[in-house]
Amino acid sequence: MVTTESHQSQDLMVPAEIQDLSLNLEMEGEEQASPSSPSAAFDPEKFSQGPVNAITVLTLLDKLVNMLDAVQDNQNKMEVHQVQMEGVVRGIQADMTRLSKSHSHTSNTVSKLLDKSRKLSVTMKEVRERMERQGAQVKKLEANHAHLISRNNFKVLIFQVGVT
């Protein structure tokens, strides 16, 4: 996680090399300012360069601080956005799980319906075959009946089961 500690609570550590360099520059500046030194003449260019550099450094540091604050704000916004996106992704995953279960249930139901349809089709085919056979038998009986009527020759046979 990114720390939300602001830059104002952080200590600025200056490396020892820079501290030694600033002490050497101060000592050289004192030597040049002493009246016994032949190079003690006032150099306005060097003098004006110091404060401008300090102001420039402070300005740059201020800009850097503002940039760091902006980066930290952006990071915080990105973290919030990331958390929101994780919630959305979890919701989508839950929806996909429900959809998958629903699809599985629908698939099972369709499979059962197809099986029933196949069984019904087989049964219908068997019934049709029986009906066709019965239709053929009825046609034979009708033809036989018509033939008998045309001959007008009827014989009635009565069978009696013997009583013992």
Side-chain angles (χ1 to χ4, degrees), residues 41-110:
F42 179 72
D43 187 3
E45 197 172 301
K46 285 185 181 178
F47 182 76
S48 65
Q49 207 172 18
V52 170
N53 284 340
I55 291 172
T56 304
V57 167
L58 287 176
T59 303
L60 290 174
L61 286 175
D62 188 45
K63 286 182 180 181
L64 181 63
V65 165
N66 290 336
M67 290 169 66
L68 289 173
D69 286 342
V71 166
Q72 195 169 23
D73 288 343
N74 285 338
Q75 281 180 329
N76 290 338
K77 289 177 185 175
M78 288 171 61
E79 285 178 14
V80 168
H81 184 69
Q82 177 74 23
V83 169
Q84 290 172 345
M85 291 299 290
E86 287 173 0
V88 168
V89 167
R90 275 191 229 105
I92 291 171
Q93 287 174 338
D95 290 345
M96 289 299 292
T97 302
R98 276 186 262 134
L99 180 64
S100 175
K101 288 178 182 177
S102 175
H103 174 68
S104 176
H105 178 69
T106 303
S107 176
N108 289 339
T109 304
V110 167

Side-chain angles (χ1 to χ4, degrees), residues 14-31:
V14 179
E17 298 171 350
I18 294 176
Q19 286 179 347
D20 292 342
L21 179 64
S22 65
L23 288 175
N24 288 340
L25 288 176
E26 287 176 9
M27 290 173 63
E28 286 177 10
E30 288 176 6
E31 287 177 5

Side-chain angles (χ1 to χ4, degrees), residues 107-122:
S107 176
N108 289 339
T109 304
V110 167
S111 293
K112 289 176 183 177
L113 286 172
L114 285 173
D115 286 342
K116 287 181 180 180
S117 175
R118 286 185 196 109
K119 290 176 183 176
L120 181 64
S121 176
V122 168

Side-chain angles (χ1 to χ4, degrees), residues 131-146:
M131 292 289 288
E132 288 173 358
R133 277 184 270 148
Q134 287 177 355
Q137 288 174 353
V138 166
K139 285 184 182 180
K140 284 181 186 178
L141 286 174
E142 286 175 350
N144 194 16
H145 180 66

